[in-house]
Amino acid sequence: MNQKKIYFYPIIVLFFIFSIDKIACIPEFREAARRSYKPGQNILLGFPKVWEENKIRQLENQKIILVTGSSRSEILHEWEEIPVKPTTYNKPVYFETRSAVKASEYMLNYLLLKGMIDTGFKPNLMFIEFSEEMLNENNSFSYKTKWKELMLTEDQLLDIFPVFNPQYKLEIMSRLIFLSYNYHIRPIQGISNLIKGEKASDDLYFIAISSYLNKKRPFDPNHIGIEIDNFSPQDYESRIINYTKEIQDMMLRNYRFSDTEFGFLKKIINLAETHNIPTVIWEPQVHPYYQNLRKSITGGNLYETILLPQLNPNSKNIRTISLNKGNTNCKTYADSSHVSTICVPEIVDKLLQTAKDIPNFQ
């Protein structure tokens, strides 16, 4: 008789899990029992306000240029007003730089842009960063890290499902089948919060949502970096050699080309083409010391060998430019991986000059 009871235990456990999962479908319980938001989730949650702000700017006859990418793109955020040459572009323009997120990667970039389209906002032009580090499967800040931070909706999970490898496809299926797993439901916490009339803690939401609260910073001429030929031995050691080691350990360690990250970049390209968004995909300039090291690790120039073959040369929406080809006058660096913010006006001018060749750009 006792053995027969044992047979019922798995059924009881499954029934308990199934019951919790069904209860998790109730929005009030889910909001009380879910895990607290983490930085990646906060960014996605904060951007609808950003898109609404930009819709208003467009109604006021401003052209919106959206900037996405890592810290190499985030330097554009260091200029409250980026000067634009009238001979290059003579219309009122606003650079939306809050969408450039330090240590970001293509999955997060895609989710931001897809969310933007879903709200009905379409920028007049996009600057999309191409950096080889963002295509490293073993990057410390790859999609694997962001994936752990996110609680995505059913539509989002279905949308990104084809990009992933079998391991993560199984993970997505588990999240789709069990809502409680997707939202990390804690039953006792949920019951307690419901009794108190509270939701799961949102403290991190207000701390980490730099995408909305972090205002543009006025250009600071006192911190512009160092000219390439003017580094002291000490500065060269710290800013170039040692910083390169740090980046190598975090971004380039055990370099393996990521089909998943590249899949999200292709989805970004498809998004731009499908919605006729003029787009410049650009490769930021880095210090020659770091560039040579990176090339030895990644195996070559991925901008030419990986990116360009994916693009239609007759596209009415997309053009590309690499700033590592000696086509800028910028010789000032903050460190081995980033040019100085003083280079931003020239960077923007180069990208706008490239955009003028896009048929759908006005």
Side-chain angles (χ1 to χ4, degrees):
M1 186 68 177
N2 289 335
Q3 288 183 336
K4 290 183 179 180
K5 287 184 178 179
I6 292 175
Y7 295 147
F8 283 104
Y9 290 164
I11 298 175
I12 294 172
V13 171
L14 287 174
F15 178 77
F16 177 76
I17 294 173
F18 180 80
S19 300
I20 293 297
D21 197 65
K22 295 303 109 180
I23 294 174
C25 292
I26 304 172
E28 291 79 6
F29 181 79
R30 185 171 68 239
E31 283 302 301
R34 63 165 170 79
R35 183 188 66 192
S36 298
Y37 295 141
K38 295 191 174 183
Q41 190 79 32
N42 295 340
I43 291 170
L44 295 180
L45 289 170
F47 262 90
K49 293 181 180 180
V50 173
W51 308 138
E52 291 303 320
E53 284 182 5
N54 287 317
K55 286 181 186 178
I56 295 172
R57 288 191 175 97
Q58 283 181 327
L59 291 175
E60 295 171 348
N61 203 32
Q62 276 189 310
K63 303 296 183 183
I64 306 298
I65 298 179
L66 182 71
V67 181
T68 72
S70 69
S71 56
R72 292 175 186 149
S73 294
E74 206 255 357
I75 65 168
L76 273 68
H77 194 66
E78 302 288 336
W79 284 75
E80 194 168 15
E81 297 289 339
I82 301 175
V84 176
K85 294 179 182 178
T87 53
T88 299
Y89 194 67
N90 60 3
K91 297 178 182 179
V93 60
Y94 174 79
F95 292 90
E96 182 51 79
T97 54
R98 288 173 288 184
S99 43
V101 182
K102 291 180 179 179
S104 66
E105 37 65 55
Y106 289 117
M107 184 181 77
L108 182 64
N109 292 170
Y110 171 72
L111 290 171
L112 279 175
L113 296 178
K114 181 62 168 59
M116 173 190 77
I117 293 296
D118 291 342
T119 66
F121 171 67
K122 188 170 85 169
N124 301 91
L125 178 66
M126 291 197 301
F127 293 159
I128 304 295
E129 177 189 328
F130 178 86
S131 285
E132 294 184 354
E133 296 84 350
M134 297 169 74
L135 293 172
N136 180 15
E137 183 77 8
N138 296 314
N139 185 332
S140 298
F141 305 102
S142 74
Y143 70 92
K144 298 174 185 177
T145 301
K146 297 296 188 300
W147 176 254
K148 297 175 183 178
E149 298 179 356
L150 300 178
M151 297 180 287
L152 301 178
T153 66
E154 179 179 323
D155 289 342
Q156 288 172 318
L157 291 171
L158 290 172
D159 179 37
I160 65 177
F161 180 83
V163 181
F164 282 108
N165 58 37
Q167 175 187 346
Y168 280 81
K169 283 182 177 178
L170 180 61
E171 173 80 8
I172 289 177
M173 290 177 64
S174 299
R175 291 193 182 200
L176 287 169
I177 295 171
F178 297 105
L179 192 67
S180 56
Y181 175 61
N182 185 41
Y183 287 93
H184 304 264
I185 295 298
R186 298 179 176 90
I188 296 176
Q189 171 190 300
I191 294 170
S192 175
N193 281 340
L194 282 175
I195 293 173
K196 298 175 185 176
E198 298 177 355
K199 294 182 179 181
S201 173
D202 285 341
D203 291 344
L204 289 178
Y205 177 83
F206 298 103
I207 296 171
I209 192 161
S210 60
S211 59
Y212 183 67
L213 297 180
N214 185 17
K215 295 182 179 180
K216 289 186 179 184
R217 297 176 286 278
F219 171 65
D220 186 354
N222 295 316
H223 299 89
I224 62 172
I226 301 173
E227 286 283 326
I228 191 168
D229 294 327
N230 292 335
F231 279 88
S232 68
Q234 295 82 4
D235 283 331
Y236 194 86
E237 180 77 20
S238 63
R239 295 197 189 204
I240 305 301
I241 296 177
N242 291 341
Y243 192 76
T244 293
K245 290 178 182 177
E246 291 179 23
I247 295 297
Q248 181 179 354
D249 290 342
M250 289 189 295
M251 308 291 194
L252 294 172
R253 64 179 184 182
N254 303 319
Y255 195 93
R256 181 161 65 91
F257 181 80
S258 175
D259 290 323
T260 299
E261 290 289 11
F262 192 50
F264 281 112
L265 176 57
K266 289 190 285 188
K267 284 181 77 68
I268 291 171
I269 292 169
N270 184 63
L271 200 71
E273 293 282 28
T274 302
H275 296 277
N276 292 314
I277 305 174
T279 300
V280 175
I281 303 178
W282 68 295
E283 183 179 38
Q285 177 179 339
V286 296
H287 191 278
Y289 178 90
Y290 178 71
Q291 185 179 358
N292 290 332
L293 175 78
R294 182 175 66 181
K295 187 174 182 178
S296 70
I297 293 173
T298 63
N301 186 351
L302 299 187
Y303 169 82
E304 292 182 347
T305 61
I306 297 297
L307 173 64
L308 296 186
Q310 293 296 319
L311 303 174
N312 177 2
N314 299 315
S315 171
K316 295 182 178 180
N317 300 300
I318 298 176
R319 294 294 182 270
T320 67
I321 182 173
S322 172
L323 300 186
N324 277 315
K325 304 299 182 183
N327 52 6
T328 74
N329 295 315
C330 173
K331 303 297 180 186
T332 310
Y333 292 87
D335 52 55
S336 62
S337 184
H338 305 86
V339 295
S340 165
T341 54
I342 201 172
C343 301
V344 165
E346 185 189 5
I347 291 172
V348 167
D349 188 68
K350 293 290 183 181
L351 301 188
L352 284 173
Q353 289 284 359
T354 304
K356 291 170 73 172
D357 190 43
I358 300 175
N360 285 336
F361 178 58
Q362 297 179 353

